[in-house]
Amino acid sequence: MTRSAALADTHGRIMRDLRVSITDRCNFRCLYCLPETEEAANFYRTKFDALRNPQPATPIAREWKPKSQILTFEEIERVVRVGVSLGIEKVRVTGGEPLLRSGVEKLVGKLAAIDGITDLAMTTNGFLFGPKAVALRAAGLRRVSFSLDSLDRDNFRKITGRDGLNELLAGIRQAQELGFKPVKVNAVVIRGLNDHEVESLAEFARTENLSLRFIEFMPLDSSRAWQRELVMPGREILARLQSRFELQPVVSDNASETARRWRFADGRGEIGVIAPVTEPFCGHCNRLRLTADGKIRTCLFSLHEHDLKPLLRGDADDSALASRLVEIVRGKEAGHRIGQPDFVQPERTMSCIGG
Ligand code: SAM
Ligand code: SF4
């Protein structure tokens, strides 16, 4: 089948990857995303110079979008189907916490039935994975990524605001037993918070035969506590791991891959480093995002969103929707501007955008 290349931007990139946030709600309160308490929003102040940040950060009171503004499963399916007709191949269901959306397995079933999707995956905090795992698998989900930033119960609770490490570890094991492949684990590394766990997380990936991705902390947190000093650069993470493990580079034929990857020389498990802050990969970005309330974002750091709801809830047909998507993609920004003097943090946080 010839793939459409209709979703082309003006920088020579063709969109193949659609991230679909299906809810802005979450049952966790990760301090780098949705901190719940004053202490969590100011976690960095014990470690870094509070003088440069004289105003303590305040956790933002959560206001979830009303249900009427959240896309229905039929609306999501329609956007994805039209996206696939224009060349989208990979779809990732995310959130907020996607497993909070009731009937999520039905949505997965609808998406899995769309001809042309070669890769259907989900990102989850894993807390509710156990009870849903079999249904998700049966519905056609093939890949799942879990967020695991700490193997220490107290640190896990500090980072996520919830005592959920055991449920998450059980979910990871269950995903492996059910044959999800590969089972991926994402760890956001923040200096002074969990950087001391980089080696133990890698060891966990090696012994459990997991694909682990270390991710740099990005300025997408609701309390706007992000500081460059808190970012542990991907190069530093790698150097630490190389001094502990024998790693062999994994060569990928996917030019849009965001992770640089290594396998352990003894053959089990794999690690990758995703460094959007210190080594941006915008030049190869082939991603689009659909928010739970029906907005298309052409970049994680976009300052503008494109609302599809008027089309979806009006009388536009699929070809009008397709034309709109093509037009939106043409305006995709060249790249993010983190570190530039004119960088502006987007209003919406990772939990709303869909990571
Ligand atoms: N709730 C699900 C989860 O945590 O896996 C899915 C949504 S979450 C927004 C998707 C991913 O974004 C997670 O792996 C999370 O760690 C990551 N993330 C959230 N805020 C981030 C930030 N400020 N910088 C880097 N990654 C972040
Ligand atoms: Fe929730 Fe995921 Fe954000 Fe954590 S990273 S608060 S689990 S949306």
Side-chain angles (χ1 to χ4, degrees):
M1 193 170 85
T2 320
R3 294 180 306 175
S4 164
L7 295 178
D9 70 10
T10 55
H11 308 281
R13 300 169 298 190
I14 294 167
M15 303 305 117
R16 300 285 182 210
D17 186 334
L18 179 63
R19 311 235 146 182
V20 181
S21 172
I22 62 169
T23 178
D24 59 339
R25 295 169 193 239
C26 193
N27 50 349
F28 277 23
R29 292 291 181 275
C30 301
L31 43 68
Y32 52 73
C33 183
L34 276 180
E36 184 170 46
T37 63
E38 198 78 29
E39 189 189 354
N42 288 285
F43 68 91
Y44 60 94
R45 289 173 71 86
T46 51
K47 206 88 185 167
F48 294 92
D49 184 6
L51 283 176
R52 275 179 302 127
N53 298 283
Q55 290 302 322
T58 44
I60 294 175
R62 271 294 103 207
E63 275 181 33
W64 311 121
K65 292 269 174 201
K67 284 222 170 90
S68 60
Q69 288 189 29
I70 301 295
L71 295 193
T72 63
F73 287 171
E74 290 68 30
E75 288 167 338
I76 293 172
E77 182 197 8
R78 184 173 169 209
V79 178
V80 173
R81 192 170 30 76
V82 171
V84 169
S85 75
L86 297 172
I88 292 293
E89 298 174 321
K90 295 173 73 171
V91 175
R92 177 170 293 271
V93 176
T94 180
E97 175 46 45
L99 297 180
L100 282 183
R101 180 97 188 241
S102 95
V104 57
E105 62 280 8
K106 291 198 192 83
L107 174 66
V108 166
K110 283 176 185 288
L111 300 182
I114 297 175
D115 202 21
I117 297 182
T118 57
D119 185 16
L120 177 61
M122 176 181 284
T123 304
T124 171
N125 63 33
F127 190 78
L128 298 171
F129 186 75
K132 293 268 183 197
V134 171
L136 289 168
R137 180 80 187 155
L141 190 68
R142 292 288 166 264
R143 293 205 302 120
V144 60
S145 300
F146 294 91
S147 299
L148 171 70
D149 304 321
S150 174
L151 287 165
D152 172 274
R153 188 172 168 186
D154 290 334
N155 209 27
F156 184 91
R157 185 170 23 209
K158 178 177 176 188
I159 295 170
T160 64
R162 298 292 181 265
D163 187 15
L165 180 60
N166 286 340
E167 287 81 356
L168 169 50
L169 294 178
I172 292 173
R173 267 192 301 276
Q174 198 172 353
Q176 288 181 306
E177 282 161 17
L178 286 172
F180 284 91
K181 217 167 176 180
V183 177
K184 278 195 187 167
V185 172
N186 294 331
V188 177
V189 185
I190 298 185
R191 207 186 280 288
L193 184 68
N194 63 345
D195 57 320
H196 62 288
E197 293 198 55
V198 160
E199 288 86 353
S200 53
L201 283 162
E203 182 60 38
F204 178 69
R206 197 179 69 81
T207 53
E208 301 297 322
N209 196 16
L210 292 162
S211 195
L212 170 68
R213 301 281 180 266
F214 292 103
I215 305 175
E216 288 179 348
F217 179 30
M218 291 182 272
L220 289 168
D221 54 318
S222 69
S223 63
R224 296 173 179 257
W226 185 89
Q227 299 167 41
R228 185 91 190 188
E229 290 85 344
L230 293 169
V231 178
M232 177 129 171
R235 278 195 199 88
E236 197 178 325
I237 296 172
L238 180 62
R240 284 256 302 270
L241 295 175
Q242 281 173 325
S243 69
R244 168 79 175 269
F245 303 98
E246 197 185 328
L247 299 174
Q248 297 165 340
V250 176
V251 182
S252 168
D253 50 10
N254 175 5
S256 295
E257 178 140 47
T258 52
R260 286 185 294 130
R261 295 156 52 199
W262 289 265
R263 68 171 68 87
F264 295 97
D266 61 3
R268 279 171 61 86
E270 181 190 297
I271 58 128
V273 175
I274 303 181
V277 177
T278 63
E279 299 167 65
F281 35 78
C282 306
H284 303 291
C285 179
N286 67 353
R287 292 181 179 182
L288 280 185
R289 289 181 160 80
L290 174 66
T291 66
D293 58 343
K295 315 271 173 66
I296 292 283
R297 293 180 66 91
T298 47
C299 173
L300 267 179
F301 297 93
S302 291
L303 297 175
H304 305 289
E305 299 178 336
H306 309 269
D307 196 357
L308 296 184
K309 272 209 304 300
L311 291 181
L312 291 169
R313 296 186 178 177
D315 53 11
D317 61 10
D318 284 355
S319 77
L321 189 57
S323 304
R324 182 74 185 114
L325 283 173
V326 168
E327 179 191 320
I328 291 169
V329 167
R330 283 193 65 75
K332 182 173 160 86
E333 41 284 82
H336 70 63
R337 307 204 44 85
I338 304 174
Q340 307 296 318
D342 60 349
F343 174 73
V344 178
Q345 180 165 339
E347 221 163 83
R348 297 232 259 179
T349 65
M350 195 67 143
S351 65
C352 294
I353 297 169

